[in-house]
């Protein structure tokens, strides 16, 4: 089934959530909730929306398809945050008022367990494999780990910074915690439950989210009105993005209809949402007047409706399916599981020209880079599941053309740029032995200055852009509009010839000359 992407925004001032069309940035509906909605979560199967009502000690359950309330679940005091496991069967809610976590059965929408945690729990997140739940305790400055199979606390709490708020679990399983009181972010290793990095960010960070590819973490700084972007590889801030007033939360929109991933940041103080292009890390739009009263808090973006399995046909009754679609087609394609970009610069490359000359540079053509056979070494990183150290040598061939000014002949010279040595970290998903995942490179090479020829040597300066990818064959289900139409006949080339006589004989195209006869005396006298 083709499904739309929707954004759900909690508005505590007017006790509602706003439903966004994230493609157009318009508010489609407003749904009433309990008192003081704070956090919101769309179940992964796209069927229900869960909203924590901080002032009413309840969780509102909303039908995502119709935007209508289904039921209200009573939980602990002052519920703060909510998360849902990947199978949409369990919901976890932090109760900041009585230091507990409510576990909800999503089938019956009833509380099935209550787990004691630290003081004033705020943020909650679940591991990618659904085995662990992490709770940030703002009052005791630590993180509680819970086994989802037994609903029991695992080990001692993990000490972090002052006043931890909302947290996130990255695709690699690492836990990121925004500590508002100490103005930094803590990173926890899930294997050892120890802090492995502390990153200073802006003022009063309230929330952190790792992008879907796991390469960067985005931190909302409510006190400095900006978002810090942290490299998950180096744990350093790479850029800071100004947003609205008192930003509170953010989420990513992975809608495939948009060419890049966008981050939506709720700004409580200015009652709007800043939309960030995560490729350029710039604000590209603002959604104003999100709430009737006050401003927005929590936000969650996801697919509306469940995704059908590849074996099922597209639901032709789905309102989001185009009427022209005739069938679903399975095609075999290369999927890019992850990719990264780098640059290389060669300030001086000398190319030896053949005897003769003198020569003048004419052109150069660079070929796509290739991985040198035998140079690729992939080493799994034990502390980072599904991540590997990738070492390789990239070679880029070229063909240069010069002109022999003494003979007028053109001469071509083939060569390669200096080898490019790469030593990087890539996400490589687990796969059975029969599946071949490959490393591929794409390059674009550009001349940085005008080449110079001197003493049978051509000197060039070259910049190289590289994109390194992890590829694997997948069967992709796509909607088909039918077979391609029969192409039109090819247009023949006719060399247009000008009929000079036809132009001359045409009085419109070639008027008779007005100065055919010299002027008469009276004509000259009249001109005086």
């Amino acid at each position: 089934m083709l499904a739309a992407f929707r954004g759900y925004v909690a508005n505590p001032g007017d006790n509602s959530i706003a439903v966004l069309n994230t493609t157009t940035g318009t508010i489609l509906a407003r749904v009433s909730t309990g008192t003081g909605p704070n956090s919101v979560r769309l179940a992964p199967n796209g069927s229900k929306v869960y909203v924590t009502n901080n002032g009413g000690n309840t969780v509102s359950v909303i039908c995502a398809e119709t935007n209508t309330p289904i039921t209200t679940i009573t939980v602990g005091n002052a519920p703060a945050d909510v998360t849902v496991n990947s199978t949409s069967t369990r919901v976890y809610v932090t109760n900041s008022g009585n230091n507990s976590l409510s576990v909800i059965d999503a089938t019956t929408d009833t509380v099935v367990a209550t787990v004691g945690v630290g003081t004033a729990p705020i943020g909650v997140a679940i591991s990618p494999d659904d085995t662990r739940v992490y709770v940030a305790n703002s009052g005791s400055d630590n993180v509680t780990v819970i086994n989802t199979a037994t609903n029991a606390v695992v080990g001692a709490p993990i000490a972090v910074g002052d006043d931890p708020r909302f947290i996130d679990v990255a695709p690699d399983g690492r836990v990121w915690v925004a500590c508002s009181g100490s103005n930094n972010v803590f990173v926890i290793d899930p294997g050892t439950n120890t802090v492995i990095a502390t990153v200073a960010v802006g003022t009063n960070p309230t929330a952190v989210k790792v992008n879907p590819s796991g390469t960067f973490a985005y931190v909302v700084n409510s006190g400095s009105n900006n978002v810090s972007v942290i490299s998950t590889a180096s744990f350093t801030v790479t850029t800071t993005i100004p947003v609205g007033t008192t930003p509170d939360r953010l989420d990513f929109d992975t809608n495939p209809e948009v060419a890049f991933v966008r981050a939506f940041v709720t700004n409580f103080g200015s009652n709007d949402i800043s939309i960030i292009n995560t490729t350029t890390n710039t604000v590209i739009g603002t959604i104003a007047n999100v709430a009737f009263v006050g401003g927005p808090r929590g936000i969650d973006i996801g697919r509306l409706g469940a995704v059908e399995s590849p074996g099922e046909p597209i639901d032709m009754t789905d309102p989001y399916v185009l009427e022209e679609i005739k069938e679903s087609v399975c095609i075999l394609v290369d999927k890019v599981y992850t990719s990264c970009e780098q640059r290389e610069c060669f300030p001086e490359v000398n190319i030896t020209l053949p005897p003769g000359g003198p020569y003048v540079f004419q052109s150069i053509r660079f070929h796509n880079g290739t991985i040198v056979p035998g140079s690729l070494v992939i080493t799994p990183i034990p502390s980072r599941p599904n991540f590997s150290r990738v070492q390789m040598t990239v070679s880029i061939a070229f063909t240069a053309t010069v002109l022999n000014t003494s003979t007028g002949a053109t001469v071509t010279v083939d060569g390669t740029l200096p080898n490019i040595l790469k030593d990087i970290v890539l996400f490589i998903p687990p796969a059975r032995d029969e599946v071949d995942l490959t490393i591929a490179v794409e390059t674009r090479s550009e001349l940085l200055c005008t080449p110079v020829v001197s003493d049978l040597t051509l000197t060039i300066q070259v910049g190289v852009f590289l994109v390194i990818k992890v590829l694997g064959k997948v069967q992709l289900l796509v909607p088909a509009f039918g077979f391609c139409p029969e192409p039109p006949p090819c247009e023949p080339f006719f060399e247009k010839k000008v009929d000079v006589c036809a132009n001359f004989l045409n009085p419109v195209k070639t008027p008779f000359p007005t100065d055919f006869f010299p002027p008469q005396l009276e004509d000259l006298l009249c001109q005086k």
Side-chain angles (χ1 to χ4, degrees):
M1 178 172 74
L2 297 182
F5 274 66
R6 294 289 181 260
Y8 300 88
V9 184
N11 299 318
D14 53 29
N15 300 328
S16 73
I17 64 167
V19 183
L20 305 179
N21 180 328
T22 58
T23 303
T24 62
T26 55
I27 297 177
L28 302 176
R30 296 183 186 273
V31 185
S32 296
T33 62
T35 304
N38 186 46
S39 293
V40 58
R41 189 76 62 188
L42 173 68
N45 64 9
S47 61
K48 297 177 181 178
V49 180
Y50 294 88
V51 185
T52 59
N53 302 309
N54 190 260
N57 304 333
T58 60
V59 171
S60 295
V61 184
I62 297 169
C63 175
E65 183 178 357
T66 61
N67 292 324
T68 55
I70 298 174
T71 189
T72 300
I73 308 169
T74 300
V75 289
N77 294 336
D81 196 17
V82 56
T83 193
V84 185
N85 66 359
S86 64
T87 58
S88 302
T89 56
R90 283 290 184 269
V91 182
Y92 300 88
V93 178
T94 54
N95 303 305
S96 61
N98 62 349
N99 308 330
S100 67
L101 177 80
S102 295
V103 183
I104 298 172
D105 184 334
T107 304
T108 61
D109 286 329
T110 57
V111 175
V112 294
T114 301
V115 184
V117 291
T119 305
I122 300 291
V124 61
I126 192 167
S127 62
D129 60 2
D130 291 337
T131 61
R132 294 290 186 269
V133 165
Y134 300 88
V135 176
N137 304 303
S138 65
S140 50
D141 301 336
N142 54 30
V143 172
T144 300
V145 185
I146 298 169
N147 184 326
T148 58
T150 61
N151 291 325
V153 173
V154 178
I158 306 166
V160 290
D162 182 27
D163 192 12
R165 296 294 182 89
F166 294 94
I167 66 177
D168 189 38
V169 180
D172 63 1
R174 290 179 174 177
V175 184
W176 292 70
V177 187
C179 297
S180 179
S182 52
N183 300 331
N184 51 26
V185 171
F186 281 66
V187 185
I188 299 171
D189 185 336
T192 60
N193 282 342
T194 56
V195 173
I196 58 174
T198 303
V199 186
V201 290
T203 306
N204 300 130
T206 58
V208 57
K209 275 275 188 177
V210 178
N211 65 357
S213 62
T215 53
F216 292 95
Y218 288 70
V219 184
V220 176
N221 303 306
S222 65
S224 49
N225 301 329
N226 54 31
V227 172
S228 299
V229 182
I230 302 173
S231 167
T232 59
S234 63
F235 300 121
T236 56
V237 175
T238 61
T239 190
T240 302
I241 309 167
V243 290
T245 306
T246 322
D248 193 72
R249 238 75 62 85
L250 87 159
D251 198 21
F252 296 101
D253 183 14
T254 59
N255 191 336
E257 294 181 358
V258 181
F260 48 84
V261 175
R262 297 172 297 165
F264 284 62
V265 182
T266 59
N267 302 306
F268 179 78
S270 50
N271 189 23
D272 55 25
I273 294 176
S274 298
I275 304 175
I276 297 173
N277 179 338
T278 61
T279 301
T280 61
N281 282 330
T282 56
V283 174
I284 57 173
T286 302
I287 303 174
N289 302 319
V290 180
F292 285 136
V293 179
R297 291 290 192 188
I299 182 172
D300 193 43
I301 300 172
R303 185 188 298 270
L304 175 63
V307 182
E308 295 181 357
S309 67
E312 298 176 356
I314 294 178
D315 182 2
M316 300 305 293
T317 64
D318 191 314
Y320 300 104
V321 177
L322 297 179
E323 293 180 355
E324 292 84 356
I325 295 176
K326 301 298 187 294
E327 61 177 336
S328 56
V329 177
C330 191
I331 60 175
L332 189 65
V333 296
D334 278 325
K335 175 180 178 178
V336 179
Y337 285 92
T338 188
S339 62
C340 62
E341 62 179 35
Q342 290 194 329
R343 303 177 186 220
E344 295 288 339
C345 185
F346 299 102
E348 183 175 312
V349 178
N350 294 315
I351 305 168
T352 302
L353 302 177
Y359 294 105
V360 174
F361 172 78
Q362 284 195 316
S363 64
I364 188 168
R365 179 175 181 268
F366 294 99
H367 303 277
N368 188 57
T370 57
I371 299 175
V372 175
S375 70
L376 181 63
V377 178
I378 302 175
T379 307
I381 302 174
S383 61
R384 298 182 64 182
N386 303 328
F387 279 78
S388 296
R389 177 185 181 185
V390 178
Q391 300 166 280
M392 71 182 81
T393 301
V394 179
S395 177
I396 299 176
F398 63 80
T399 300
T401 302
V402 293
L403 174 66
N404 188 327
T405 56
S406 62
T407 64
T410 57
V411 177
T412 58
V413 179
D414 295 323
T416 58
L417 296 177
N419 282 340
I420 300 174
L421 305 180
K422 295 283 99 182
D423 191 348
I424 60 175
V425 175
L426 284 177
F427 169 75
I428 302 179
R432 66 182 191 276
D433 294 340
E434 293 85 355
V435 175
D436 291 326
L437 296 178
T438 59
I439 308 294
V441 297
E442 287 187 17
T443 61
R444 175 179 172 178
S445 307
E446 298 180 353
L447 291 176
L448 302 179
C449 300
T450 303
V452 176
V453 178
S454 176
D455 298 330
L456 298 182
T457 299
L458 172 64
T459 302
I460 60 175
Q461 297 81 28
V462 184
V464 179
F465 299 92
L466 299 99
V467 175
I468 303 169
K469 305 177 181 180
V470 177
L471 301 177
K473 293 287 186 184
V474 297
Q475 294 184 86
L476 184 66
L477 183 71
V478 297
F481 296 86
F483 291 102
C484 295
E486 181 180 346
C490 296
E491 178 185 354
F493 174 77
F494 293 105
E495 184 176 359
K496 187 176 181 180
K497 296 182 179 180
V498 178
D499 189 341
V500 293
C501 289
N503 287 344
F504 177 75
L505 296 175
N506 188 330
V508 175
K509 293 185 176 181
T510 311
F512 210 86
T514 57
D515 61 347
F516 191 82
F517 294 106
Q520 302 297 313
L521 175 61
E522 55 271 24
D523 296 329
L524 296 175
L525 292 176
C526 291
Q527 293 176 3
K528 294 182 180 180

PDB file of all heavy atoms in Angstrom, residues 290-317:
ATOM      1  N   VAL A 290       1.471  26.956  14.783  1.00  0.00           N
ATOM      2  CA  VAL A 290       1.220  25.534  14.969  1.00  0.00           C
ATOM      3  C   VAL A 290       0.154  25.306  16.041  1.00  0.00           C
ATOM      4  O   VAL A 290      -0.693  24.429  15.919  1.00  0.00           O
ATOM      5  CB  VAL A 290       2.527  24.811  15.338  1.00  0.00           C
ATOM      6  CG1 VAL A 290       2.271  23.316  15.540  1.00  0.00           C
ATOM      7  CG2 VAL A 290       3.566  25.023  14.238  1.00  0.00           C
ATOM      8  N   ALA A 291       0.180  26.095  17.115  1.00  0.00           N
ATOM      9  CA  ALA A 291      -0.798  25.964  18.199  1.00  0.00           C
ATOM     10  C   ALA A 291      -1.702  27.190  18.239  1.00  0.00           C
ATOM     11  O   ALA A 291      -1.323  28.274  17.790  1.00  0.00           O
ATOM     12  CB  ALA A 291      -0.086  25.799  19.540  1.00  0.00           C
ATOM     13  N   PHE A 292      -2.917  27.012  18.769  1.00  0.00           N
ATOM     14  CA  PHE A 292      -3.806  28.148  18.988  1.00  0.00           C
ATOM     15  C   PHE A 292      -3.351  28.972  20.190  1.00  0.00           C
ATOM     16  O   PHE A 292      -3.449  30.189  20.230  1.00  0.00           O
ATOM     17  CB  PHE A 292      -5.246  27.673  19.205  1.00  0.00           C
ATOM     18  CG  PHE A 292      -5.922  27.221  17.942  1.00  0.00           C
ATOM     19  CD1 PHE A 292      -6.685  26.064  17.922  1.00  0.00           C
ATOM     20  CD2 PHE A 292      -5.793  27.939  16.768  1.00  0.00           C
ATOM     21  CE1 PHE A 292      -7.319  25.639  16.758  1.00  0.00           C
ATOM     22  CE2 PHE A 292      -6.413  27.518  15.603  1.00  0.00           C
ATOM     23  CZ  PHE A 292      -7.178  26.372  15.594  1.00  0.00           C
ATOM     24  N   VAL A 293      -2.857  28.239  21.216  1.00  0.00           N
ATOM     25  CA  VAL A 293      -2.403  28.880  22.450  1.00  0.00           C
ATOM     26  C   VAL A 293      -1.025  28.318  22.782  1.00  0.00           C
ATOM     27  O   VAL A 293      -0.804  27.112  22.682  1.00  0.00           O
ATOM     28  CB  VAL A 293      -3.379  28.605  23.619  1.00  0.00           C
ATOM     29  CG1 VAL A 293      -2.872  29.253  24.897  1.00  0.00           C
ATOM     30  CG2 VAL A 293      -4.778  29.103  23.277  1.00  0.00           C
ATOM     31  N   GLY A 294      -0.095  29.184  23.222  1.00  0.00           N
ATOM     32  CA  GLY A 294       1.232  28.715  23.601  1.00  0.00           C
ATOM     33  C   GLY A 294       2.049  28.325  22.390  1.00  0.00           C
ATOM     34  O   GLY A 294       2.111  29.056  21.404  1.00  0.00           O
ATOM     35  N   GLY A 295       2.676  27.156  22.446  1.00  0.00           N
ATOM     36  CA  GLY A 295       3.510  26.701  21.344  1.00  0.00           C
ATOM     37  C   GLY A 295       3.649  25.197  21.342  1.00  0.00           C
ATOM     38  O   GLY A 295       3.207  24.506  22.266  1.00  0.00           O
ATOM     39  N   PRO A 296       4.279  24.621  20.304  1.00  0.00           N
ATOM     40  CA  PRO A 296       4.402  23.167  20.167  1.00  0.00           C
ATOM     41  C   PRO A 296       5.520  22.596  21.028  1.00  0.00           C
ATOM     42  O   PRO A 296       6.521  23.254  21.298  1.00  0.00           O
ATOM     43  CB  PRO A 296       4.709  22.993  18.679  1.00  0.00           C
ATOM     44  CG  PRO A 296       5.432  24.252  18.295  1.00  0.00           C
ATOM     45  CD  PRO A 296       4.830  25.341  19.142  1.00  0.00           C
ATOM     46  N   ARG A 297       5.344  21.346  21.425  1.00  0.00           N
ATOM     47  CA  ARG A 297       6.365  20.615  22.182  1.00  0.00           C
ATOM     48  C   ARG A 297       6.834  19.401  21.373  1.00  0.00           C
ATOM     49  O   ARG A 297       7.634  19.507  20.482  1.00  0.00           O
ATOM     50  CB  ARG A 297       5.807  20.185  23.542  1.00  0.00           C
ATOM     51  CG  ARG A 297       5.554  21.322  24.517  1.00  0.00           C
ATOM     52  CD  ARG A 297       6.848  21.946  25.026  1.00  0.00           C
ATOM     53  NE  ARG A 297       6.608  22.838  26.163  1.00  0.00           N
ATOM     54  CZ  ARG A 297       7.533  23.617  26.694  1.00  0.00           C
ATOM     55  NH1 ARG A 297       8.754  23.615  26.208  1.00  0.00           N
ATOM     56  NH2 ARG A 297       7.246  24.399  27.718  1.00  0.00           N
ATOM     57  N   GLY A 298       6.308  18.212  21.730  1.00  0.00           N
ATOM     58  CA  GLY A 298       6.768  16.992  21.087  1.00  0.00           C
ATOM     59  C   GLY A 298       6.304  16.868  19.646  1.00  0.00           C
ATOM     60  O   GLY A 298       5.258  17.389  19.257  1.00  0.00           O
ATOM     61  N   ILE A 299       7.104  16.150  18.829  1.00  0.00           N
ATOM     62  CA  ILE A 299       6.749  15.916  17.426  1.00  0.00           C
ATOM     63  C   ILE A 299       7.206  14.519  17.023  1.00  0.00           C
ATOM     64  O   ILE A 299       8.235  14.028  17.492  1.00  0.00           O
ATOM     65  CB  ILE A 299       7.395  16.980  16.497  1.00  0.00           C
ATOM     66  CG1 ILE A 299       6.984  16.748  15.035  1.00  0.00           C
ATOM     67  CG2 ILE A 299       8.913  16.990  16.640  1.00  0.00           C
ATOM     68  CD1 ILE A 299       7.415  17.867  14.091  1.00  0.00           C
ATOM     69  N   ASP A 300       6.405  13.871  16.186  1.00  0.00           N
ATOM     70  CA  ASP A 300       6.791  12.581  15.624  1.00  0.00           C
ATOM     71  C   ASP A 300       6.293  12.527  14.187  1.00  0.00           C
ATOM     72  O   ASP A 300       5.177  12.966  13.887  1.00  0.00           O
ATOM     73  CB  ASP A 300       6.204  11.427  16.433  1.00  0.00           C
ATOM     74  CG  ASP A 300       6.840  10.093  16.065  1.00  0.00           C
ATOM     75  OD1 ASP A 300       8.072  10.059  15.914  1.00  0.00           O
ATOM     76  OD2 ASP A 300       6.119   9.096  15.920  1.00  0.00           O
ATOM     77  N   ILE A 301       7.137  12.011  13.297  1.00  0.00           N
ATOM     78  CA  ILE A 301       6.813  11.942  11.872  1.00  0.00           C
ATOM     79  C   ILE A 301       6.951  10.501  11.414  1.00  0.00           C
ATOM     80  O   ILE A 301       7.921   9.817  11.757  1.00  0.00           O
ATOM     81  CB  ILE A 301       7.750  12.851  11.047  1.00  0.00           C
ATOM     82  CG1 ILE A 301       7.602  14.307  11.498  1.00  0.00           C
ATOM     83  CG2 ILE A 301       7.459  12.720   9.558  1.00  0.00           C
ATOM     84  CD1 ILE A 301       8.620  15.246  10.869  1.00  0.00           C
ATOM     85  N   GLY A 302       5.978  10.025  10.652  1.00  0.00           N
ATOM     86  CA  GLY A 302       6.063   8.659  10.162  1.00  0.00           C
ATOM     87  C   GLY A 302       5.062   8.384   9.068  1.00  0.00           C
ATOM     88  O   GLY A 302       4.308   9.261   8.637  1.00  0.00           O
ATOM     89  N   ARG A 303       5.062   7.157   8.638  1.00  0.00           N
ATOM     90  CA  ARG A 303       4.195   6.716   7.547  1.00  0.00           C
ATOM     91  C   ARG A 303       2.796   6.448   8.083  1.00  0.00           C
ATOM     92  O   ARG A 303       2.618   5.766   9.087  1.00  0.00           O
ATOM     93  CB  ARG A 303       4.769   5.451   6.909  1.00  0.00           C
ATOM     94  CG  ARG A 303       4.017   4.957   5.677  1.00  0.00           C
ATOM     95  CD  ARG A 303       4.559   3.609   5.260  1.00  0.00           C
ATOM     96  NE  ARG A 303       5.951   3.681   4.890  1.00  0.00           N
ATOM     97  CZ  ARG A 303       6.385   3.930   3.657  1.00  0.00           C
ATOM     98  NH1 ARG A 303       5.519   4.141   2.689  1.00  0.00           N
ATOM     99  NH2 ARG A 303       7.671   3.962   3.392  1.00  0.00           N
ATOM    100  N   LEU A 304       1.807   6.980   7.416  1.00  0.00           N
ATOM    101  CA  LEU A 304       0.416   6.742   7.784  1.00  0.00           C
ATOM    102  C   LEU A 304      -0.054   5.454   7.129  1.00  0.00           C
ATOM    103  O   LEU A 304      -0.125   5.358   5.904  1.00  0.00           O
ATOM    104  CB  LEU A 304      -0.471   7.903   7.330  1.00  0.00           C
ATOM    105  CG  LEU A 304      -1.981   7.736   7.540  1.00  0.00           C
ATOM    106  CD1 LEU A 304      -2.295   7.623   9.017  1.00  0.00           C
ATOM    107  CD2 LEU A 304      -2.744   8.888   6.918  1.00  0.00           C
ATOM    108  N   GLY A 305      -0.357   4.447   7.940  1.00  0.00           N
ATOM    109  CA  GLY A 305      -0.794   3.165   7.392  1.00  0.00           C
ATOM    110  C   GLY A 305       0.360   2.192   7.312  1.00  0.00           C
ATOM    111  O   GLY A 305       1.526   2.567   7.196  1.00  0.00           O
ATOM    112  N   ALA A 306       0.036   0.921   7.377  1.00  0.00           N
ATOM    113  CA  ALA A 306       1.061  -0.118   7.376  1.00  0.00           C
ATOM    114  C   ALA A 306       1.589  -0.337   5.964  1.00  0.00           C
ATOM    115  O   ALA A 306       0.892  -0.163   4.973  1.00  0.00           O
ATOM    116  CB  ALA A 306       0.480  -1.426   7.915  1.00  0.00           C
ATOM    117  N   VAL A 307       2.846  -0.744   5.888  1.00  0.00           N
ATOM    118  CA  VAL A 307       3.449  -1.097   4.607  1.00  0.00           C
ATOM    119  C   VAL A 307       3.183  -2.564   4.333  1.00  0.00           C
ATOM    120  O   VAL A 307       3.488  -3.426   5.149  1.00  0.00           O
ATOM    121  CB  VAL A 307       4.970  -0.841   4.638  1.00  0.00           C
ATOM    122  CG1 VAL A 307       5.587  -1.155   3.294  1.00  0.00           C
ATOM    123  CG2 VAL A 307       5.252   0.600   5.021  1.00  0.00           C
ATOM    124  N   GLU A 308       2.613  -2.874   3.181  1.00  0.00           N
ATOM    125  CA  GLU A 308       2.286  -4.258   2.872  1.00  0.00           C
ATOM    126  C   GLU A 308       3.543  -5.023   2.472  1.00  0.00           C
ATOM    127  O   GLU A 308       4.523  -4.452   2.023  1.00  0.00           O
ATOM    128  CB  GLU A 308       1.256  -4.303   1.741  1.00  0.00           C
ATOM    129  CG  GLU A 308      -0.086  -3.698   2.159  1.00  0.00           C
ATOM    130  CD  GLU A 308      -1.117  -3.764   1.052  1.00  0.00           C
ATOM    131  OE1 GLU A 308      -0.760  -4.221  -0.045  1.00  0.00           O
ATOM    132  OE2 GLU A 308      -2.255  -3.358   1.278  1.00  0.00           O
ATOM    133  N   SER A 309       3.502  -6.317   2.636  1.00  0.00           N
ATOM    134  CA  SER A 309       4.655  -7.145   2.294  1.00  0.00           C
ATOM    135  C   SER A 309       4.800  -7.205   0.781  1.00  0.00           C
ATOM    136  O   SER A 309       3.838  -6.996   0.032  1.00  0.00           O
ATOM    137  CB  SER A 309       4.464  -8.551   2.858  1.00  0.00           C
ATOM    138  OG  SER A 309       3.389  -9.199   2.194  1.00  0.00           O
ATOM    139  N   PRO A 310       6.032  -7.521   0.289  1.00  0.00           N
ATOM    140  CA  PRO A 310       6.244  -7.543  -1.158  1.00  0.00           C
ATOM    141  C   PRO A 310       5.350  -8.521  -1.901  1.00  0.00           C
ATOM    142  O   PRO A 310       5.115  -8.372  -3.084  1.00  0.00           O
ATOM    143  CB  PRO A 310       7.727  -7.938  -1.278  1.00  0.00           C
ATOM    144  CG  PRO A 310       8.331  -7.499   0.018  1.00  0.00           C
ATOM    145  CD  PRO A 310       7.257  -7.695   1.041  1.00  0.00           C
ATOM    146  N   GLY A 311       4.821  -9.538  -1.199  1.00  0.00           N
ATOM    147  CA  GLY A 311       3.986 -10.510  -1.878  1.00  0.00           C
ATOM    148  C   GLY A 311       2.556 -10.064  -2.080  1.00  0.00           C
ATOM    149  O   GLY A 311       1.794 -10.719  -2.786  1.00  0.00           O
ATOM    150  N   GLU A 312       2.168  -8.948  -1.452  1.00  0.00           N
ATOM    151  CA  GLU A 312       0.792  -8.493  -1.562  1.00  0.00           C
ATOM    152  C   GLU A 312       0.655  -7.424  -2.640  1.00  0.00           C
ATOM    153  O   GLU A 312       1.550  -6.612  -2.838  1.00  0.00           O
ATOM    154  CB  GLU A 312       0.333  -7.921  -0.217  1.00  0.00           C
ATOM    155  CG  GLU A 312       0.345  -8.940   0.914  1.00  0.00           C
ATOM    156  CD  GLU A 312      -0.012  -8.303   2.244  1.00  0.00           C
ATOM    157  OE1 GLU A 312      -0.181  -7.073   2.278  1.00  0.00           O
ATOM    158  OE2 GLU A 312      -0.127  -9.029   3.236  1.00  0.00           O
ATOM    159  N   PRO A 313      -0.449  -7.407  -3.356  1.00  0.00           N
ATOM    160  CA  PRO A 313      -0.644  -6.361  -4.363  1.00  0.00           C
ATOM    161  C   PRO A 313      -0.933  -5.018  -3.706  1.00  0.00           C
ATOM    162  O   PRO A 313      -1.316  -4.937  -2.545  1.00  0.00           O
ATOM    163  CB  PRO A 313      -1.873  -6.861  -5.148  1.00  0.00           C
ATOM    164  CG  PRO A 313      -2.623  -7.680  -4.134  1.00  0.00           C
ATOM    165  CD  PRO A 313      -1.574  -8.343  -3.285  1.00  0.00           C
ATOM    166  N   ILE A 314      -0.744  -3.964  -4.455  1.00  0.00           N
ATOM    167  CA  ILE A 314      -1.064  -2.636  -3.956  1.00  0.00           C
ATOM    168  C   ILE A 314      -2.570  -2.524  -3.758  1.00  0.00           C
ATOM    169  O   ILE A 314      -3.357  -2.972  -4.584  1.00  0.00           O
ATOM    170  CB  ILE A 314      -0.566  -1.560  -4.938  1.00  0.00           C
ATOM    171  CG1 ILE A 314       0.961  -1.578  -4.986  1.00  0.00           C
ATOM    172  CG2 ILE A 314      -1.060  -0.182  -4.567  1.00  0.00           C
ATOM    173  CD1 ILE A 314       1.544  -0.599  -5.958  1.00  0.00           C
ATOM    174  N   ASP A 315      -2.958  -1.947  -2.639  1.00  0.00           N
ATOM    175  CA  ASP A 315      -4.380  -1.764  -2.341  1.00  0.00           C
ATOM    176  C   ASP A 315      -4.940  -0.652  -3.238  1.00  0.00           C
ATOM    177  O   ASP A 315      -4.706   0.526  -3.017  1.00  0.00           O
ATOM    178  CB  ASP A 315      -4.533  -1.395  -0.864  1.00  0.00           C
ATOM    179  CG  ASP A 315      -6.000  -1.242  -0.473  1.00  0.00           C
ATOM    180  OD1 ASP A 315      -6.868  -1.455  -1.340  1.00  0.00           O
ATOM    181  OD2 ASP A 315      -6.260  -0.918   0.696  1.00  0.00           O
ATOM    182  N   MET A 316      -5.705  -1.037  -4.251  1.00  0.00           N
ATOM    183  CA  MET A 316      -6.211  -0.060  -5.212  1.00  0.00           C
ATOM    184  C   MET A 316      -7.307   0.819  -4.623  1.00  0.00           C
ATOM    185  O   MET A 316      -7.713   1.807  -5.229  1.00  0.00           O
ATOM    186  CB  MET A 316      -6.717  -0.774  -6.464  1.00  0.00           C
ATOM    187  CG  MET A 316      -5.649  -1.588  -7.187  1.00  0.00           C
ATOM    188  SD  MET A 316      -4.187  -0.624  -7.618  1.00  0.00           S
ATOM    189  CE  MET A 316      -4.857   0.480  -8.828  1.00  0.00           C
ATOM    190  N   THR A 317      -7.818   0.463  -3.422  1.00  0.00           N
ATOM    191  CA  THR A 317      -8.813   1.315  -2.777  1.00  0.00           C
ATOM    192  C   THR A 317      -8.166   2.363  -1.880  1.00  0.00           C
ATOM    193  O   THR A 317      -8.866   3.208  -1.326  1.00  0.00           O
ATOM    194  CB  THR A 317      -9.781   0.467  -1.939  1.00  0.00           C
ATOM    195  OG1 THR A 317      -9.060  -0.161  -0.867  1.00  0.00           O
ATOM    196  CG2 THR A 317     -10.425  -0.618  -2.794  1.00  0.00           C
TER     197      THR A 317
END
